[in-house]
Amino acid sequence: MTFGEQPAYLRVAGDLRQKITDGSLPPHTRLPSQARIREEYGVSDTVALEARKVLMAEGLVEGRSGSGTYVREQPVPRRIARSGYRPASGATPFRQEQADGEGRGTWESSSAQTEASGVIAERLALRPGDRVMCTKYVFREAGEPIMLSTSWEPLEVTGRTPVMLPEEGPLGGMGVVERMAAIDIVVDNVTEEVGARPGLAEELLALGGVPGHVVLVVHRTYYASGRPVETADVVIPADRYQVAYHLPVK
């Protein structure tokens, strides 16, 4: 193989991918069989199989038991807007995430006390094993799961206060900024680090994704006078949503 030449299975996968994206192989069309690929491209069974595996890993095709492999219908990416920590009176956490007062969002949540892992302890400036309140969310829009979030708050900050449980009490369902303000903590900064990785099996199951699909992960931390008071991991399916930031100019 000369320098820069692609392996045969990638060249075959690339040609099939192009046919899928230009509509020659529209959604719900059966992908050519392994024997057909072998004959059309003049490759071995192994190359044909590996090419099909590439398309399946990319989420372009899906196997149907006893029927074959078919082209998947690709979703049109929608936006999830983020705008830092701007509070709004009566805002829910979901609407804060979307920065959209017209959102049709609903969510499910559960909270439990736990010990901070090494990673979470570092993000919250705690010692590993310190107690935190962990809250897990599944966010939906029009019934469709669009985002997961796991939040951790130090119990040395919120413990034995009315805001210890993010979704219960007088300020249940409010955002971090408003809840912290209720216990005289002024949130004045937030950081977000955005990355991508293959989704975990349980994440893709909750989000309705395909094994191997990539997710966007936002590591968010709220600060009050330099002290972390909440950190969260937000997980978003990358094939269905784009993250759009709206940041004020100061």
Side-chain angles (χ1 to χ4, degrees):
M1 182 174 68
T2 61
F3 179 78
E5 182 182 349
Q6 284 188 320
Y9 77 95
L10 288 182
R11 286 188 277 112
V12 173
D15 188 70
L16 291 170
R17 184 190 302 112
Q18 182 61 41
K19 290 180 178 179
I20 292 172
T21 56
D22 68 15
S24 300
L25 287 172
H28 312 297
T29 299
R30 185 173 179 175
L31 193 72
S33 67
Q34 187 169 316
R36 174 83 176 274
I37 292 174
R38 181 190 64 211
E39 294 170 4
E40 182 176 344
Y41 293 94
V43 296
S44 66
D45 280 333
T46 300
V47 169
L49 178 60
E50 289 302 313
R52 289 159 62 91
K53 286 182 178 179
V54 168
L55 298 177
M56 191 167 290
E58 293 175 350
L60 294 174
V61 301
E62 60 184 355
R64 299 180 186 174
S65 180
S67 179
T69 304
Y70 291 80
V71 177
R72 293 183 68 244
E73 186 167 359
Q74 297 301 305
V76 177
R78 289 179 284 169
R79 287 186 175 183
I80 291 182
R82 303 181 65 78
S83 59
Y85 62 83
R86 290 187 306 169
S89 179
T92 66
F94 189 31
R95 288 186 176 178
Q96 279 198 327
E97 296 287 354
Q98 290 191 314
D100 179 6
E102 302 299 322
R104 294 175 294 158
T106 60
W107 67 93
E108 305 158 12
S109 67
S110 62
S111 296
Q113 295 188 32
T114 188
E115 295 181 353
S117 67
V119 171
I120 298 305
E122 182 177 357
R123 284 163 58 174
L124 288 173
L126 301 174
R127 297 180 301 273
D130 281 357
R131 303 294 291 176
V132 294
M133 183 64 71
C134 176
T135 304
K136 296 184 178 182
Y137 295 90
V138 178
F139 295 100
R140 304 178 188 274
E141 184 173 359
E144 176 187 339
I146 71 168
M147 183 168 59
L148 306 176
S149 178
T150 304
S151 165
W152 297 268
E153 295 180 350
L155 284 174
E156 67 181 37
V157 173
T158 62
R160 300 181 182 277
T161 74
V163 301
M164 184 173 73
L165 292 169
E167 295 296 318
E168 297 181 22
L171 292 178
M174 298 297 179
V176 173
V177 176
E178 188 164 355
R179 290 176 47 251
M180 292 297 168
I183 56 174
D184 299 322
I185 294 176
V186 178
V187 173
D188 54 17
N189 194 18
V190 60
T191 64
E192 293 197 351
E193 299 177 0
V194 183
R197 59 167 170 76
L200 304 178
E202 56 269 27
E203 293 170 341
L204 295 174
L205 179 63
L207 292 168
V210 174
H213 269 192
V214 171
V215 295
L216 300 175
V217 182
V218 181
H219 298 303
R220 181 197 67 203
T221 305
Y222 285 104
Y223 296 86
S225 299
R227 178 182 185 179
V229 296
E230 189 262 9
T231 194
D233 288 346
V234 181
V235 178
I236 303 165
D239 64 324
R240 284 182 278 155
Y241 293 93
Q242 300 171 333
V243 178
Y245 280 84
H246 300 270
L247 305 175
V249 176
K250 295 183 179 180

